[in-house]
Amino acid sequence: MLESGEKFEGLRRNRRTKNSKKWGKRWIWIISILVFAGLILGGLFYYQTHYFNVHTTINGVQVGRLSPKQALNKLEASQLKNEIYVGQKLIVNGKNTEMGFTSQDLPQVENVLKKQQTLLPSFKEKNYPLVPNGRSQAQSQMLKDLLKQKVTEMNKNLKAPQDATVKLDQGKIVVTKSVMGEQYDVSRLLQNYEKQAYKSEIHLTPVYLQPVKETSSIVKNDENKIQAFLQRTINYKVQDKVYPLKVSDFVKNASISNKGQVVIHSAEAKKEIEKEIKKINDSQSTLNKPFQFKTHSGSVITVQGQTYGWALDVNKETKLLLDGFEKGQTSVTAANVYGNGWNDDAIGYKTTTNHGIGNTYAEVSIKQQRIWLYRNGKMVLTTNVVTGRTDVNQDTHPGVWYILYKRSPSILVGSEVGMTNYHVPVKYWAPFTNDGEGFHDASWRTNWSSTAYIHQGSGGCVNTPPSVMGQVYKNLDVYEPVVVY
């Protein structure tokens, strides 16, 4: 029994010894593997922190597998071709120049190493732009300016893009389609150049000018502008009357300017506005038209307008309204009126009462040889007078005139039947026709009868008794209407 026990114990000891030897060998292998892996990782870490990844470039120069010092040496020895390509086209072919790297740039190169560093080796292609301390900024700017000049010159012979536009065509809002062009986008090419400014060969992807698309906010805004434009109404004021003029009734063709303003295609619109102003002129103006006039006796007569009266300048008023439409004005007051006076004055434009003559005027009756002066609707003076001589056709001209000016004293210069080139002094002179008829005192006259004008009348003036001429002169105003009938 003891022998059997001893044998069993021996077997157990032998088994433990064998197992211990096995585990010892395993630990040796594990430790060896760990040490080897550590060495590999340490070596890899050292390599990654001291050498560039295989496909790394600086300013287009391959520095893969090089240390910063080696990379700097290569950069120092490299030259810039100063060639700039847009697509496949060589646009700028400059002279070779040094890159400008020096020993002072080593910290920058080392900094690039840190930026590109990865835990494991990377095969990704990556270029890092680096501005060397010795690089001439003037040279880089010169190349940039040359690129801009060359591309700008090329664009002159290339088809420009066509923007989508909005216009009013025969009363309808129309959006034209955009069309791509062939011209380069100079500003974006220059921006891309900045990113590669220190590479030996600069390859720029072609970037083209883009037209404004039909769906753009610009086009939508222009549509809204024309739509709002068509809703406009101008209240056109002529004297005391207002005429509402709708833009849509007159403007059928328009477009949007570069400044974003609605521009009327004026040829057709001008015709339509001219028609409206002529219509207003026909119904409201007084120039060269007969006036209804209520005499001192209460009878209503018709007297032809002469120098008194006004009319709208159709051409100028048309332009005024066209400008008003474009500028979005809501009201426009007539500003261009004219008449038959010495300076084309529009006399009577501001007068709307009493059929345009107003309530302050001078009334001259040839038949009754008498005048009546009214101020603010009330007669302030009446007197007998002697008008132009009838038998020799020197009658005082009938019509509606106005006082041109007043002068006291004055010298009358003129001629008449029986008296040529006279120079006659008077105390008061108030002419009302362009050819020299007016009110004045006549101290030389002895015949003041109601029939004196037939054979002994004046040369056309209204001779007024000296005793009352001072009051007549006082009650006459410049531009005051004179109604002769």
Side-chain angles (χ1 to χ4, degrees):
M1 293 294 293
L2 289 174
E3 284 185 9
S4 298
E6 288 175 358
K7 286 182 180 180
F8 181 74
E9 185 64 27
L11 290 172
R12 290 180 63 185
R13 281 198 298 267
N14 289 336
R15 189 175 295 171
R16 284 199 298 267
T17 301
K18 289 180 180 180
N19 287 338
S20 296
K21 289 180 179 180
K22 287 182 179 179
W23 278 107
K25 290 180 180 180
R26 288 178 181 176
W27 279 112
I28 291 172
W29 275 104
I30 291 171
I31 292 171
S32 298
I33 291 171
L34 290 176
V35 170
F36 183 72
L39 290 172
I40 292 175
L41 291 174
L44 187 61
F45 176 76
Y46 177 84
Y47 184 87
Q48 288 300 101
T49 56
H50 288 77
Y51 295 90
F52 289 96
N53 281 317
V54 64
H55 292 308
T56 300
T57 58
I58 296 178
N59 291 356
V61 176
Q62 179 62 248
V63 295
R65 298 192 181 95
L66 300 179
S67 68
K69 180 62 178 175
Q70 292 171 330
L72 181 60
N73 291 337
K74 189 172 183 180
L75 290 170
E76 287 177 328
S78 299
Q79 285 191 327
L80 291 172
K81 291 183 180 179
N82 293 317
E83 293 179 347
I84 304 176
Y85 292 82
V86 176
Q88 299 300 317
K89 292 182 180 179
L90 177 61
I91 305 299
V92 176
N93 186 11
K95 295 180 179 179
N96 288 6
T97 60
E98 299 293 335
M99 276 196 174
F101 283 97
T102 66
S103 59
Q104 296 179 356
D105 293 305
L106 183 58
Q108 291 192 84
V109 177
E110 291 173 340
N111 190 44
V112 172
L113 177 66
K114 292 178 181 178
K115 288 183 179 179
Q116 64 87 61
Q117 184 178 327
T118 55
L119 182 62
L120 296 175
S122 172
F123 295 92
K124 185 177 181 181
E125 294 182 2
K126 197 160 186 181
N127 178 67
Y128 290 88
L130 197 60
V131 181
N133 286 313
R135 172 64 173 169
S136 170
Q137 295 295 327
Q139 172 71 10
S140 177
Q141 185 61 45
M142 182 190 72
L143 288 173
K144 181 178 179 181
D145 292 342
L146 190 57
L147 172 63
K148 180 179 180 181
Q149 176 188 335
K150 293 281 189 180
V151 177
T152 301
E153 192 66 29
M154 288 170 59
N155 274 348
K156 293 180 181 179
N157 298 317
L158 296 175
K159 181 182 176 182
Q162 295 181 20
D163 296 336
T165 59
V166 182
K167 63 180 181 179
L168 183 66
D169 187 7
Q170 298 301 318
K172 294 182 179 180
I173 298 176
V174 176
V175 178
T176 64
K177 292 184 177 181
S178 62
V179 179
M180 283 296 298
E182 300 170 338
Q183 291 183 340
Y184 294 103
D185 189 328
V186 178
S187 62
R188 290 181 62 190
L189 284 176
L190 293 178
Q191 289 174 6
N192 293 338
Y193 166 83
E194 291 287 354
K195 300 174 183 178
Q196 305 182 51
Y198 301 102
K199 291 177 68 175
S200 181
E201 292 184 13
I202 297 175
H203 291 267
L204 302 176
T205 302
V207 184
Y208 299 98
L209 288 174
Q210 297 296 310
V212 175
K213 304 292 185 181
E214 297 91 314
T215 56
S216 72
S217 59
I218 295 175
V219 171
K220 294 300 180 184
N221 287 338
D222 287 348
E223 285 187 82
N224 293 337
K225 284 180 183 177
I226 292 186
Q227 190 62 52
F229 171 74
L230 292 174
Q231 302 304 315
R232 293 177 186 170
T233 296
I234 283 184
N235 289 318
Y236 181 48
K237 186 176 182 182
V238 181
Q239 288 188 308
D240 59 345
K241 293 185 179 180
V242 176
Y243 301 88
L245 306 179
K246 294 182 179 179
V247 170
S248 57
D249 290 339
F250 299 94
V251 181
K252 303 300 179 184
N253 297 284
S255 57
I256 303 292
S257 71
N258 292 334
K259 296 181 179 180
Q261 305 289 334
V262 177
V263 177
I264 297 171
H265 298 177
S266 58
E268 187 174 339
K270 182 179 178 182
K271 290 181 181 179
E272 295 302 315
I273 295 174
E274 281 178 350
K275 288 180 184 178
E276 185 65 22
I277 295 176
K278 287 177 181 177
K279 186 190 301 183
I280 294 172
N281 237 356
D282 291 342
S283 65
Q284 195 172 341
S285 66
T286 59
L287 186 63
N288 298 323
K289 292 181 179 179
F291 287 83
Q292 280 193 352
F293 178 70
K294 188 176 183 179
T295 68
H296 67 284
S297 64
S299 60
V300 177
I301 62 174
T302 299
V303 185
Q304 178 64 36
Q306 298 292 347
T307 58
Y308 186 84
W310 63 271
L312 296 170
D313 186 318
V314 175
N315 286 332
K316 291 182 178 179
E317 286 299 287
T318 297
K319 185 178 184 305
L320 187 69
L321 284 172
L322 280 171
D323 289 344
F325 283 153
E326 287 185 343
K327 294 175 181 176
Q329 295 175 335
T330 56
S331 62
V332 170
T333 299
N336 302 284
V337 290
Y338 67 95
N340 281 338
W342 282 357
N343 296 317
D344 290 334
D345 294 319
I347 307 303
Y349 177 72
K350 295 182 180 179
T351 303
T352 57
T353 58
N354 194 18
H355 304 288
I357 290 177
N359 297 316
T360 297
Y361 56 89
E363 178 182 348
V364 181
S365 172
I366 295 174
K367 184 177 180 179
Q368 297 181 50
Q369 290 293 284
R370 198 164 189 84
I371 65 172
W372 296 264
L373 303 186
Y374 285 82
R375 298 189 69 80
N376 299 320
K378 294 183 179 181
M379 188 183 70
V380 294
L381 188 151
T382 182
T383 181
N384 62 300
V385 293
V386 175
T387 60
R389 184 175 171 182
T390 298
D391 62 348
V392 291
N393 297 319
Q394 288 191 330
D395 306 79
T396 301
H397 300 324
V400 183
W401 312 85
Y402 69 91
I403 300 296
L404 296 171
Y405 63 88
K406 293 168 63 177
R407 189 166 296 159
S408 177
S410 185
I411 296 177
L412 303 181
V413 179
S415 63
E416 60 181 78
V417 175
M419 186 182 298
T420 58
N421 300 321
Y422 61 75
H423 290 70
V424 180
V426 293
K427 289 185 177 180
Y428 305 100
W429 171 233
F432 55 79
T433 71
N434 291 342
D435 59 358
E437 296 178 1
F439 298 98
H440 64 79
D441 50 295
S443 58
W444 60 87
R445 176 171 292 283
T446 58
N447 183 359
W448 292 94
S449 69
S450 61
T451 58
Y453 74 103
I454 299 174
H455 300 291
Q456 296 181 22
S458 69
C461 288
V462 179
N463 288 180
T464 306
S467 60
V468 295
M469 184 58 207
Q471 287 298 310
V472 171
Y473 186 85
K474 181 180 178 181
N475 282 284
L476 290 174
D477 293 330
V478 177
Y479 302 135
E480 176 181 320
V482 178
V483 183
V484 182
Y485 60 91

